[in-house]
Amino acid sequence: MIYFDNAATTAMTTEVLKSYNDVVTRVIGNPSSLHNLGTVAGRLLNASRRQISDLLNVSPDEIFFTSGGSESDNWIIKGTAFEKQAFGKHLIISSVEHPAIKNSAEWLRDQGFKVDYAPVDKNGFVLVDELEKLICEDTILVSVMAVNNEVGAIQPLKEIATLLGNFPKISFHVDAVQAIGKIATKDFLLPRVDFASFSAHKFHGPRGVGFNYIKSGKRLTPLIHGGGQESGKRSTTENLPGIVATAKALRISLEGFEEKHAHVAEMKKVIYNELKEHNNVLVFSGVDNYAANILTWGIKGIRGEVTVHAFEDHEIYISTTSACASRKNSAAGTLMAMKVDPKLATSAVRISLDYTNTMTEVELFLTVFRQVLLKLG
Ligand SMILES: Cc1ncc(COP(=O)(O)O)c(C=O)c1O
């Protein structure tokens, strides 16, 4: 079996699973309980928060746990809108955001907010000049992802941060779900960024755990009310085993970043070079300024799901650009925003690599690729 769908989700590693199991079986207390078992759980929660904040070079009181990337994104978009509506009701998001951002913004539109989409160029990069034109007196939030999940484009966050330096009242959110461990943290957690969202299952942590970076002093209306956990900002008893496992997974995924990145980039280059040799293969992702793990391409005239199943017959798992879009059978939103001809866009499939993949798997993949191309192309 070859798993090349790591942008959809990753498996917990043995070490991460061990942490998870240890906490599930040994730490039964609720961190909010007054007794000793609660104190032990509370200490573990604080230690995990500190571990994550140290890894990101931020303060522990800037990390807030959630149930995953979607909740993290929903909270920032809706929480900022509710918090700042007295100052303005205009939001700008890029046209290639994940549905967790897009659909939150669209929902707010129904509640009376105004939403504008910053366009991307034909390669999937946000046009910062166009984004600038959208800014107005009423703008309260700009949200742009760090790495696009469908084609891997690394967005020009430094330029956007520089632009927003002139607009200190506008909050700046970065969806970092596909970025952490894939590009250097300092390249997306920039000083001008107010909020950033993360999801554990994208870096070998458990599903159903995420967190937000909320810059100290930045206010956000809570979406989940209750017992006042997470400093009163996000109630519900903390998923302690998941949080401890997340901290461990993050440490492991950031360890030896340079080597892991170089290995993944090398695997992508080998596949990319081969794909480029075939006239009936379209390559939608690039190499420079794209994440090293994501490569989106298609066989001309063949629908993406047909290609996915052709590889599945050989126990090779790839996807049609994003796990959420694949079941809907629709062309990827990012490719549409890049103005790719819809007929060509429906052929798109995504390979997403991980440092745990090997060059042997790449070679096997390419052998199967040549057979699939002969059969379908
Ligand atoms: C860019 C991006 N944001 C948000 C999410 C949602 O994360 P989760 O699956 O943890 O809800 C994903 C998941 O694919 C993603 O790729």
Side-chain angles (χ1 to χ4, degrees), residues 192-210:
R192 179 61 183 83
V193 171
D194 298 307
F195 308 112
S197 306
F198 301 85
S199 175
H201 73 99
K202 306 291 187 184
F203 52 86
H204 298 286
R207 288 149 210 208
V209 187

Side-chain angles (χ1 to χ4, degrees), residues 35-284:
H35 49 67
N36 185 37
L37 296 182
T39 310
V40 169
R43 275 205 205 111
L44 209 47
L45 178 64
N46 290 339
S48 304
R49 199 188 305 279
R50 179 169 293 283
Q51 208 181 342
I52 291 174
S53 65
D54 285 351
L55 288 165
L56 299 183
N57 210 9
V58 300
S59 156
D61 54 19
E62 294 177 314
I63 298 297
F64 294 83
F65 293 108
T66 67
S67 66
S70 297
E71 185 196 328
S72 296
D73 283 341
N74 269 259
W75 186 15
I76 303 296
I77 301 295
K78 296 172 187 170
T80 302
F82 295 149
E83 190 69 36
K84 295 177 81 171
Q85 56 187 321
F87 305 101
K89 296 187 93 172
H90 178 233
L91 294 85
I92 302 171
I93 67 171
S94 88
S95 58
V96 295
E97 294 301 303
H98 187 272
I101 298 285
K102 259 189 199 167
N103 294 344
S104 295
E106 285 301 319
W107 182 83
L108 283 169
R109 198 203 288 274
D110 293 341
Q111 315 302 310
F113 287 83
K114 188 169 176 281
V115 180
D116 273 314
Y117 289 86
V120 294
D121 65 15
K122 64 179 182 16
N123 298 313
F125 300 105
V126 170
L127 292 159
V128 182
D129 291 350
E130 297 298 318
L131 191 158
E132 182 172 9
K133 287 183 201 156
L134 297 171
I135 295 176
C136 64
E137 281 251 310
D138 245 15
T139 309
I140 49 173
L141 176 73
V142 169
S143 181
V144 178
M145 69 206 324
V147 170
N148 176 262
N149 51 308
E150 293 182 306
V151 297
I154 301 172
Q155 297 302 343
L157 296 183
K158 283 184 188 149
E159 280 176 55
I160 298 171
T162 305
L163 166 68
L164 294 180
N166 303 323
F167 301 93
K169 289 193 185 137
I170 299 177
S171 295
F172 183 20
H173 171 238
V174 170
D175 175 337
V177 168
Q178 294 289 350
I180 186 78
K182 311 300 186 299
I183 62 173
T185 308
K186 64 172 177 37
D187 289 341
F188 63 85
L189 214 46
L190 304 163
R192 179 61 183 83
V193 171
D194 298 307
F195 308 112
S197 306
F198 301 85
S199 175
H201 73 99
K202 306 291 187 184
F203 52 86
H204 298 286
R207 288 149 210 208
V209 187
F211 55 91
N212 267 329
Y213 160 73
I214 301 179
K215 189 188 267 170
S216 175
K218 291 288 158 186
R219 292 170 63 90
L220 210 54
T221 300
L223 298 188
I224 304 178
H225 299 93
Q229 288 87 348
E230 297 298 286
S231 312
K233 283 194 163 73
R234 196 256 183 189
S235 293
T236 191
T237 299
E238 300 85 349
N239 174 359
L240 193 61
I243 288 169
V244 171
T246 296
K248 170 149 279 178
L250 187 63
R251 179 176 63 69
I252 295 171
S253 88
L254 294 178
E255 244 165 32
F257 169 78
E258 299 291 339
E259 295 96 281
K260 283 176 178 150
H261 185 268
H263 169 57
V264 173
E266 187 57 27
M267 291 189 290
K268 173 171 171 175
K269 207 174 82 192
V270 171
I271 302 174
Y272 180 86
N273 288 344
E274 166 93 28
L275 295 179
K276 279 288 204 187
E277 276 180 22
H278 300 272
N279 288 334
N280 50 348
V281 172
L282 300 153
V283 182
F284 300 109

Side-chain angles (χ1 to χ4, degrees), residues 318-338:
I318 61 174
S319 73
T320 49
T321 67
S322 81
C324 3
S326 43
R327 295 243 166 247
K328 292 183 195 139
N329 257 348
S330 56
T334 300
L335 295 177
M336 294 294 93
M338 288 159 64

